[in-house]
Amino acid sequence: MSQTIPLSQPSSNPRKIPSVVFFEHVGELVAQYGADPLLKQLNELYSKYKFMEAQLQRSKQVLRAKLPDITNALEMVEYLQSTQEEVKVDFQLSDCVWTKAEIPQTPSVALWLGANVMLEYPHEEAIDLLRKNLGNAESALESTNEDLKFLKEQITTCEVNLSRVYNYTVISRQGK
Amino acid sequence: MELESLNPQQLGIVKEQLDEEVEGLTNSFANLRHAVTKYKASKIALENIDQREILVPLTASLYVPGRIINPNQFMVEIGTGYYVEKTRAQSSEFCTRKMNMLMENMDKISKMINQKKRYLDLVQEIMRKKIQEFQASQR
């Protein structure tokens, strides 16, 4: 008997993560589906949620690392645009070696877009692009945080379901 | 240390300790090797710098065309947060010295790792013997 037990349902989460059905009457469900299939499917669902949580944690870390970089790049381009003369900088040549360079007035800057792609942009466009990237990263971080909170609730509900079913089986076995 | 006098449980504890030490030392070895690679890369970078126009990295994703002011003047990080201005020759020599020091330490550590491994083998041998003796005495 391999019925799919209705363990989760569509939720209001914007990323369409299903929410876990809370087991009101454990006894009825055990009688209907059997304790073992119930526990097995609950465990599967639980590990899926845990996996998703780990994934989101990882992408959250990546985003948090990217944010200060984009902010700095944005500030630099705005500064370059506003200054009228040559700029002298110390830049990192390698891990422990820095050297001075002078940057003449240029109308454009180069942005590293990733995947071996670098494009030259005039100041205005660069600022626009960086602002957009910053906005995207910030909202991605926000929605990741929201999802993580939602997932935490679902994981707790799943754990509660699991322990209730398990306790029910223990009690009913003792009763026999 | 009198390994022969220890019983199998104590030998087990010794073995665990040795395992941890070997792991710690191997990690340090890997870190040192990583640092050596970084200094090697720094040296190569130093040698290739001249007065040409370059793309100056202002952040990890922002580059601007510019020129090196003085291809003979560099700042080297000699400690956490301590920077010193050096000429190209001095910086190159600094990197070489650092690399040699790290490689010396790597040698020392690899000798220690081998020693610990030999010790570990000895402990395991004695453990095996003791267990065999114990099993023989049970019959």
Side-chain angles (χ1 to χ4, degrees):
Chain A
M1 170 170 84
S2 56
Q3 293 173 298
T4 330
I5 308 169
L7 298 174
S8 60
Q9 64 202 356
S11 70
S12 55
N13 179 273
R15 255 73 51 198
K16 303 272 188 274
I17 307 175
S19 66
V20 174
V21 174
F22 179 67
F23 289 176
E24 289 286 352
H25 305 285
V26 182
E28 284 178 19
L29 284 162
V30 170
Q32 192 179 1
Y33 297 107
D36 279 336
L38 252 187
L39 283 172
K40 181 159 160 276
Q41 290 194 20
L42 265 175
N43 267 319
E44 272 177 26
L45 188 68
Y46 182 67
S47 32
K48 276 190 217 158
Y49 275 114
K50 274 291 196 189
F51 178 72
M52 192 168 189
E53 189 185 29
Q55 250 185 345
L56 285 183
Q57 292 281 15
R58 275 195 295 265
S59 61
K60 178 174 163 175
Q61 278 182 348
V62 166
L63 283 172
R64 282 177 77 177
K66 276 212 291 194
L67 267 187
D69 186 56
I70 307 180
T71 324
N72 284 339
L74 185 58
E75 270 182 43
M76 277 311 298
V77 179
E78 287 176 340
Y79 174 73
L80 284 175
Q81 194 190 32
S82 66
T83 187
Q84 294 304 321
E85 17 163 75
E86 276 191 350
V87 181
K88 274 204 192 144
V89 290
D90 288 297
F91 74 96
Q92 194 170 23
L93 191 62
S94 132
D95 258 304
C96 351
V97 179
W98 299 64
T99 187
K100 295 193 197 300
E102 57 187 2
I103 305 175
Q105 277 273 292
T106 56
S108 56
V109 296
L111 285 174
W112 173 266
L113 302 176
N116 277 349
V117 172
M118 186 189 276
L119 279 184
E120 208 175 315
Y121 292 90
H123 291 289
E124 277 303 326
E125 280 186 39
I127 292 182
D128 276 338
L129 181 65
L130 284 172
R131 282 222 182 103
K132 211 162 54 139
N133 283 350
L134 191 62
N136 286 344
E138 277 173 350
S139 62
L141 189 60
E142 224 181 87
S143 57
T144 309
N145 277 335
E146 213 184 283
D147 284 345
L148 275 170
K149 222 170 59 167
F150 181 76
L151 271 180
K152 240 196 169 55
E153 283 176 25
Q154 304 316 309
I155 288 177
T156 318
T157 315
C158 216
E159 283 170 352
V160 166
N161 282 346
L162 266 167
S163 56
R164 285 178 87 214
V165 170
Y166 185 70
N167 289 344
Y168 182 85
T169 57
V170 165
I171 291 175
S172 66
R173 226 172 284 157
Q174 281 177 347
K176 282 194 192 132
Chain B
M1 197 157 64
E2 298 296 337
L3 285 177
E4 290 280 338
S5 62
L6 298 176
N7 65 35
Q9 277 150 327
Q10 290 165 320
L11 282 173
I13 297 179
V14 171
K15 174 178 172 309
E16 268 181 39
Q17 265 180 347
L18 283 174
D19 272 334
E20 275 179 30
E21 284 173 20
V22 166
E23 206 182 307
L25 288 173
T26 318
N27 274 341
S28 309
F29 187 81
N31 285 340
L32 283 176
R33 196 171 16 183
H34 184 61
V36 167
T37 324
K38 286 202 297 191
Y39 279 109
K40 252 192 217 149
S42 300
K43 267 191 76 164
I44 296 177
L46 280 173
E47 279 154 29
N48 287 329
I49 283 294
D50 55 27
Q51 200 102 32
R52 282 178 298 190
E53 239 193 57
I54 59 170
L55 273 176
V56 177
L58 294 180
T59 75
S61 48
L62 177 67
Y63 291 74
V64 189
R67 230 174 320 120
I68 306 257
I69 299 179
N70 184 352
N72 209 22
Q73 190 187 40
F74 299 92
M75 267 204 299
V76 180
E77 187 173 357
I78 57 174
T80 339
Y82 286 89
Y83 297 85
V84 180
E85 263 190 29
K86 284 183 186 286
T87 66
R88 183 202 296 255
Q90 288 171 330
S91 308
S92 186
E93 192 224 358
F94 170 79
C95 288
T96 319
R97 264 185 303 144
K98 261 289 202 311
M99 267 190 344
N100 288 340
M101 185 187 82
L102 289 172
M103 289 201 285
E104 263 177 47
N105 283 341
M106 270 167 69
D107 279 336
K108 269 193 244 168
I109 286 196
S110 77
K111 281 207 189 90
M112 274 170 72
I113 290 182
N114 286 338
Q115 201 188 37
K116 299 264 174 208
K117 278 203 178 133
R118 275 199 301 267
Y119 207 48
L120 195 59
D121 284 338
L122 190 62
V123 169
Q124 279 175 327
E125 188 57 48
I126 297 184
M127 256 175 88
R128 249 197 307 265
K129 227 174 43 176
K130 295 255 170 187
I131 291 179
Q132 275 177 349
E133 283 170 13
F134 184 68
Q135 282 174 340
S137 72
Q138 289 281 310
R139 291 194 210 117

